[in-house]
Amino acid sequence: MLTFSTLGYGQAVAPISAQFEYELKITLDPSKRVAYLKQSGEAPSPYEQVFNLVKGSMQVATVVEKVDIKKDQYHIHSTGTLLAVLSSVLQDQKLIRDSVGSMSSNGMLTNTYQEKRGNTELLIAKVDAPKNVVNFYKVSSRSAPTGTAPYAGRLLDMVTVGYQFIGRDLPAKSVVLPVTDGRSIKNYTLVRGEAWEFPFDGAKVKAIRYYKTTSKDDSATFEVWFSEKEHVPLRSVIGLSDQYGATIQVDLKKIPKL
């Protein structure tokens, strides 16, 4: 694992208050999902109706993320809203994610991450810093934890992973990032790929691609293109496992003024 001291950290980040808006598109291979359910005997998820409505590849939602970074703390609030037809079928369910934490000389440090997918239970990951563990909760952090996981170094989450390099150098080589999704902690190894002219907002923007390594136990793919100038995520592509047979692509509409 690379130490974060090699990543160009230690830089002070100027205060930022900006709103990022994204288009979320899904591409489905229904045959993989059908085969998985048949083999596993698993019941369809509450979002199975989305899989049935999506034909090939289509935009299904917009995602708005409000990012506030101050000298010693940050707050990111993300709301994913389904488009008209899907929103009607799923009764206006939303994907809500929220992260609060501190800013250190090494960047963002997650303290509390919350995620709620539609009418499912609220998931909470809360850091117990003195013990170097993360406690996981459902519905309320006042209840007993549903699980715990140790962590070392700097913890990120599913929203901070996209904004961690704003005002900081992009890593020159591979980097290992511990990331929580509210259920567990996984180490994401991001490999620096090619730099290229990224088609964006009617023009071309210089961007650098990073991609996640996969393994037998973690076959999901992840790619993200960071703008070379601002280091904001222009596009993220998540290739889910055969359990879902889906690829999710999230595209930034416009780079806000930072």
Side-chain angles (χ1 to χ4, degrees), residues 68-75 101-104:
D68 289 298
I69 300 175
K70 298 180 180 179
K71 181 180 178 181
D72 57 357
Q73 61 186 350
Y74 77 86
H75 181 199
S102 60
M103 298 295 298
S104 74

Side-chain angles (χ1 to χ4, degrees), residues 5-6 11 30 55 74 81 83 93-94 108 132 160 162 164 199 214 241 244 246:
S5 61
T6 66
Q11 303 150 294
K55 305 299 181 184
Y74 77 86
T81 304
L83 298 186
Q93 295 184 35
K94 291 180 171 62
M108 293 179 174
N132 286 329
T160 56
Q164 62 189 295
T214 60
S241 63
Y244 299 100

Side-chain angles (χ1 to χ4, degrees), residues 10-248:
Q11 303 150 294
V13 178
I16 293 171
S17 182
Q19 180 169 294
F20 294 76
E21 186 171 344
Y22 302 86
E23 294 181 349
L24 189 152
K25 181 169 67 176
I26 291 182
T27 302
L28 289 178
D29 183 348
S31 62
K32 289 185 177 181
R33 180 63 176 167
V34 171
Y36 172 82
L37 291 175
K38 183 177 181 180
Q39 180 181 8
S40 66
E42 182 180 309
S45 74
Y47 283 86
E48 211 70 30
Q49 295 173 78
V50 173
F51 298 153
N52 293 334
L53 289 170
V54 174
K55 305 299 181 184
S57 178
M58 64 179 287
Q59 183 185 349
V60 298
T62 58
V63 179
V64 175
E65 298 186 336
K66 296 180 179 179
V67 178
D68 289 298
I69 300 175
K70 298 180 180 179
K71 181 180 178 181
D72 57 357
Q73 61 186 350
Y74 77 86
H75 181 199
I76 302 175
H77 185 77
S78 174
T79 303
T81 304
L82 293 168
L83 298 186
V85 175
L86 298 177
S87 179
S88 176
V89 171
L90 293 177
Q91 301 176 338
D92 196 32
Q93 295 184 35
K94 291 180 171 62
L95 169 61
I96 308 295
R97 299 180 298 177
D98 192 88
S99 176
V100 295
S102 60
M103 298 295 298
S104 74
S105 59
N106 290 325
M108 293 179 174
L109 300 167
T110 298
N111 177 269
T112 303
Y113 174 73
Q114 300 183 73
E115 180 176 302
K116 192 175 192 308
R117 298 173 177 265
N119 57 12
T120 61
E121 292 180 306
L122 174 67
L123 300 176
I124 304 169
K126 193 173 180 63
V127 170
D128 185 345
K131 297 181 180 179
N132 286 329
V133 300
V134 177
N135 293 318
F136 301 104
Y137 304 88
K138 287 186 177 181
V139 182
S140 171
S141 58
R142 295 180 180 179
S143 59
T146 58
T148 63
Y151 74 95
R154 192 168 59 93
L155 181 71
L156 300 172
D157 55 61
M158 295 302 290
V159 289
T160 56
V161 72
Y163 298 102
Q164 62 189 295
F165 299 123
I166 291 179
R168 302 178 184 279
D169 293 338
L170 292 171
K173 298 181 180 179
S174 301
V175 55
V176 179
L177 305 172
V179 180
T180 181
D181 60 358
R183 304 170 183 83
S184 62
I185 298 175
K186 292 183 179 179
N187 286 325
Y188 282 13
T189 300
L190 292 184
V191 179
R192 181 168 176 142
E194 70 280 9
W196 65 310
E197 296 286 331
F198 191 90
F200 179 80
D201 195 23
K204 289 189 176 181
V205 175
K206 288 186 178 180
I208 300 175
R209 182 176 74 101
Y210 287 81
Y211 60 92
K212 170 182 164 292
T213 60
T214 60
S215 65
K216 182 179 179 181
D217 297 328
D218 183 11
S219 61
T221 60
F222 175 67
E223 297 175 272
V224 57
W225 284 259
F226 290 104
S227 63
E228 189 177 65
K229 182 180 179 182
E230 302 89 354
H231 302 171
V232 299
L234 300 178
R235 171 178 292 172
S236 301
V237 180
I238 304 171
L240 302 180
S241 63
D242 289 351
Q243 176 178 351
Y244 299 100
T247 298
I248 298 173

